[in-house]
Amino acid sequence: MQGRRPSTGSSLSLLRDGVASILALLAAIVLLGSIAPGAGADALDSSLPLQTSYRDEVMADGPAAYWRLGEASGTVALDELGASNGSYAGGVALGQPGALADGSTGAAFDGVNGRMVVPSSSVLNATAAVTVEMWARRTKSAAYQVLVGKPGNGQSKFENYAIWFNTSNRLQAYFGNGTTYVTVTSGVLNTAWHQIVATYDNATARVYVDGALVASATSTVALTPNTLPLNLGRTNDGQYYFGGALDEVAVYQKALSASRIQAHYLKALVDSTAPTVTLTQPAGGSSTNAPWYAGVAGTTAGDSTTVTVRVYAGSAATGTPVQTLGATRQSDGSYSVTGPAPADGVYTAQAEQSDSSGNVGRSASTTFTVDTTAPTASIASGPQGTVASTSATFGLAADDASATFQCSLDGGAFAACASPKSYTGLADGGHTFSVRAVDAAGNVGSAASATW
């Protein structure tokens, strides 16, 4: 066995909280500075830029491949660049709690046979320089374990690049040329999540943990590619399996600077994902005389329990709202709120929900009609006076083409009916027929009656 890993911080959670608070304060200052003096709260709705995410930060540095390991199921590990998809196999549990503050998920490896393998390609080969970046949380101790290796090889000289844990729970990064290799080793890592980054530029090998340089070594070894796969969680010959969780794995064909590595780390501590909120009532295109608003809001830790519904005049969620309503999100995410019906007309509603990091999620807008005017029904034809028949048929009409009818005979309950409405087997004597119209908004008009 030739060559094989780093350590940090029991106070990581305190550091994360402190950094997140500072960043949130700075973000708030920037946002407030971008609002024109005198602008109201509605200026925040659509004019401000969205916060960047951890993914944005990584992609800005041009990775050759980037696996977020956030799949909920299946066997494909998607590359954000689309060229280097991998395959999960063995004991890999997807959809597990991830490293980022935004609540995204990662993948857990069982330390027995769980792995993710990516076929060899030119974009994964390093010659002039390389950076390997990931988040890792080990559960297996005192054992050689591969985190990422191209290909992952017990003889370190055959590693184009690799990061392992050694038997002392330290990180070791390896960069080889087929004959020899350079390695750099960190301190002991505990079992918390850590950002792990290794870089080499054919002159200096470096290892960073949680945004800080922890070890380096100079070397003249030239990075030498190979045609073997890239392995996560094991060596290419099926040994030294990793036990723990991995998240946000990226490979770059360059050595990232210390400042960019720290920027990635700090971004991971900030929740930049807005809550997901929907608005399902009123239904789009519907008509109502008493609008109520309902849907489902986010329930992730930090998501507000208040949902705001804004109602705009017209067919778009723009301008100044004619109504702003507050709803309380329930434990299952559902919310609902009613308000006084605005004047008859067309309106558009949109729901929004914020979180403790200042992210604001907005639903798709829905356009509906408020109609509080009841339709008028009339009896167009039917028997009059005294007739020699035990049957009667009435023709019905309404001043709203979309209206339906409800009919009543001799003071009975109103029930849905259609024109023409017929009755048979009537007894001798006087009878009264009544009809009323009901429109699509639920307005019920006064009854029209005929007696014979």
Side-chain angles (χ1 to χ4, degrees), residues 1-403:
M1 177 75 195
Q2 296 183 17
R4 302 291 165 217
R5 318 208 72 249
S7 119
T8 7
S10 58
S11 60
L12 177 59
S13 61
L14 292 175
L15 173 62
R16 286 188 174 186
D17 291 344
V19 172
S21 298
I22 294 170
L23 291 177
L25 177 60
L26 291 175
I29 294 171
V30 171
L31 291 178
L32 290 173
S34 66
I35 302 174
D42 293 320
L44 289 171
D45 287 351
S46 59
S47 61
L48 298 178
L50 297 175
Q51 297 184 36
T52 58
S53 65
Y54 181 85
R55 177 189 181 279
D56 296 332
E57 204 74 31
V58 171
M59 294 296 285
D61 285 318
Y66 176 24
W67 305 276
R68 303 205 66 190
L69 307 185
E71 293 79 16
S73 60
T75 60
V76 178
L78 294 173
D79 169 24
E80 293 293 292
L81 283 298
S84 301
N85 290 344
S87 299
Y88 297 111
V92 180
L94 303 180
Q96 303 303 300
L100 306 187
D102 64 9
S104 58
T105 61
F109 296 73
D110 66 358
V112 177
N113 60 7
R115 71 270 191 192
M116 193 276 276
V117 181
V118 185
S120 181
S121 69
S122 59
V123 299
L124 299 179
N125 288 331
T127 55
V130 68
T131 297
V132 184
E133 177 180 20
M134 77 198 76
W135 285 77
R137 178 178 60 82
R138 68 172 178 83
T139 56
K140 188 176 178 179
S141 299
Y144 285 111
Q145 306 175 68
V146 177
L147 293 173
V148 177
K150 177 71 169 60
N153 194 305
Q155 296 190 62
S156 305
K157 63 185 179 182
F158 294 122
E159 302 277 34
N160 187 193
Y161 50 84
I163 302 177
W164 291 57
F165 271 118
N166 66 20
T167 56
S168 299
N169 301 321
R170 301 170 186 268
L171 293 173
Q172 285 194 258
Y174 297 92
F175 308 95
N177 63 7
T179 302
T180 187
Y181 62 92
V182 56
T183 185
V184 60
T185 305
S186 78
V188 175
L189 253 66
N190 62 20
T191 56
W193 277 108
H194 295 283
Q195 181 209 36
I196 297 168
V197 183
T199 70
Y200 184 54
D201 58 5
N202 287 341
T204 305
R206 297 178 174 90
V207 168
Y208 299 79
V209 175
D210 296 334
L213 178 66
V214 296
S216 63
T218 59
S219 174
T220 59
V221 169
L223 288 163
T224 303
N226 56 63
T227 59
L228 296 174
L230 180 143
N231 283 274
L232 269 66
R234 69 162 195 179
T235 54
N236 195 54
D237 61 355
Q239 300 185 68
Y240 304 108
Y241 283 93
F242 169 65
L246 296 176
D247 201 3
E248 308 292 336
V249 179
V251 174
Y252 309 76
Q253 290 186 335
K254 60 185 176 183
L256 292 185
S257 67
S259 62
R260 290 306 301 151
I261 291 168
Q262 185 180 57
H264 293 194
Y265 173 70
L266 294 176
K267 180 60 69 173
L269 307 184
V270 178
D271 177 4
S272 58
T273 300
T276 299
V277 57
T278 66
L279 180 65
T280 55
Q281 291 291 336
S286 65
S287 183
T288 179
N289 60 6
W292 66 286
Y293 308 90
V296 177
T299 57
T300 300
D303 289 349
S304 174
T305 57
T306 298
V307 177
T308 301
V309 178
R310 303 185 194 279
V311 183
Y312 302 83
S315 57
T318 57
T320 301
V322 297
Q323 286 183 334
T324 300
L325 307 171
T328 299
R329 184 210 72 198
Q330 304 303 309
S331 59
D332 63 355
S334 64
Y335 70 90
S336 64
V337 62
T338 58
D344 287 5
V346 175
Y347 295 90
T348 298
Q350 186 175 49
E352 67 179 44
Q353 180 189 25
S354 62
D355 64 20
S356 57
S357 297
N359 304 298
V360 179
R362 294 182 176 86
S363 71
S365 59
T366 182
T367 299
F368 61 99
T369 299
V370 172
D371 177 7
T372 60
T373 302
T376 299
S378 60
I379 300 172
S381 61
Q384 298 179 19
T386 300
V387 297
S389 175
T390 59
S391 298
T393 298
F394 297 90
L396 313 178
D399 62 357
D400 184 335
S402 67

